[in-house]
């Protein structure tokens, strides 16, 4: 639930909302208020930029974090600050996009204080760029590069307050618990419009981390790299 507004002023669009974030995780009557906003500027027909943010309280999923005695150290909701800036250029066969993001959440880090056992703050920043080219009206290829800096206090992101060895979040299980993994991902994709209603898509992604945080499901060992191949068929009506 929430109350919002939208204002258009020439090439500028302003949007804002005051809402109760993660309402499904809270008890009836329990509030986690946030202020979320988005500002966009369209510079002509082909390019523009914008920025957005979320500030307030959000669910803190620390029920899986243990202190030095093996006891659960939980924080129901905690302060969250997210901010991002993005830009785009779309003209002819080319699409180019970029984004810079910053985030911080109180008492949401993966690793607790080694002396006191108390929860610590999670903070992160990231970059993302994408370029796509239409070789024909039906065939398009895409390349994307993402970088995430997430080493402070063992790591931690919005929704990731514990180590995740499938997504590569957190510290090396056999290394220094204070240092979270920084992440890089390179994604190559292609799409082909088979007809007006059907599109075939294929994608390859290579993940690389600064710590061995990706689990090998065959032998339960950890590595710094992970690869994924995917394909899909999109049908529209």
């Amino acid at each position: 639930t929430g109350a919002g507004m939208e204002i258009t002023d020439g090439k500028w669009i302003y949007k804002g909302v005051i809402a109760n974030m993660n309402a499904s995780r809270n008890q009836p009557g329990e509030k986690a208020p946030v202020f979320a906003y988005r500002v966009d500027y369209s510079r002509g027909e082909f390019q523009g930029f914008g920025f957005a943010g979320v500030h307030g309280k959000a669910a803190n999923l620390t029920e899986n974090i243990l202190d030095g005695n093996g006891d659960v150290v939980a924080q129901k909701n905690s302060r969250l600050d997210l901010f991002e800036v993005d830009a785009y250029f779309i003209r002819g066969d080319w699409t180019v996009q970029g984004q810079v993001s910053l985030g911080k959440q109180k008492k949401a880090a993966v690793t607790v204080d080694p002396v006191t056992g108390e929860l610590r703050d999670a903070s992160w920043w990231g970059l993302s760029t994408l370029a796509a080219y239409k070789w024909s009206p039906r065939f398009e290829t895409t390349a994307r590069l993402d970088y995430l800096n997430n080493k402070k206090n063992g790591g931690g992101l919005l929704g990731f307050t514990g180590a995740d060895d499938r997504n590569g979040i957190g510290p090396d299980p056999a290394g220094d618990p204070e240092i979270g993994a920084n992440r890089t991902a390179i994604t190559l994709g292609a799409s082909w419009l088979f007809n007006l209603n059907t599109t075939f898509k294929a994608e390859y992604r290579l993940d690389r981390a600064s710590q061995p945080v990706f689990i090998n499901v065959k032998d339960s060992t950890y590595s710094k790299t992970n690869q994924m191949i995917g394909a899909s068929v999109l049908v529209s009506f």
Side-chain angles (χ1 to χ4, degrees), residues 93-105:
D93 297 324
W94 281 101
T95 297
V96 180
Q97 299 173 339
Q99 177 179 297
V100 179
S101 302
L102 305 169
K104 183 175 182 179
Q105 187 172 9

Side-chain angles (χ1 to χ4, degrees), residues 57-130:
K57 284 192 173 184
N60 190 326
L61 310 178
T62 50
E63 59 263 28
N64 295 323
I65 302 295
L66 305 179
D67 63 14
N69 298 321
D71 298 322
V72 175
V73 185
Q75 176 74 32
K76 182 66 176 179
N77 296 309
S78 64
R79 173 77 187 192
L80 171 71
D81 291 287
L82 301 175
F83 183 76
E84 69 174 42
V85 179
D86 53 73
Y88 68 90
F89 174 83
I90 302 174
R91 186 168 187 177
D93 297 324
W94 281 101
T95 297
V96 180
Q97 299 173 339
Q99 177 179 297
V100 179
S101 302
L102 305 169
K104 183 175 182 179
Q105 187 172 9
K106 290 283 188 179
K107 298 183 178 181
V110 171
T111 305
V112 298
D113 188 289
V115 177
T116 65
E118 296 180 351
L119 293 169
R120 297 184 292 179
D121 298 347
S123 62
W124 61 90
W125 63 268
L127 306 170
S128 180
T129 60
L130 178 147

Side-chain angles (χ1 to χ4, degrees), residues 4 6 9-10 32 41 43 46 48 59 72 81 86 93-94 126 147 150 159 166 174 182 190 194 214:
E6 179 175 336
D9 182 14
Y41 176 78
R43 185 183 178 185
F46 308 109
V72 175
D81 291 287
D86 53 73
D93 297 324
W94 281 101
Y147 174 75
N150 191 219
R166 297 299 180 93
N182 296 332
F194 179 70
F214 295 107

Side-chain angles (χ1 to χ4, degrees), residues 165-214:
D165 53 17
R166 297 299 180 93
N167 292 290
I169 305 299
D172 175 3
D176 189 346
E178 293 287 293
I179 304 175
N182 296 332
R183 289 278 314 280
T184 303
I186 299 174
T187 306
L188 303 175
S191 64
W192 180 48
L193 181 64
F194 179 70
N195 56 40
L196 292 177
N197 304 102
T198 308
T199 302
F200 294 101
K201 294 186 175 183
E203 185 175 278
Y204 167 77
R205 192 179 83 191
L206 172 64
D207 294 310
R208 177 74 179 176
S210 59
Q211 308 285 336
V213 289
F214 295 107

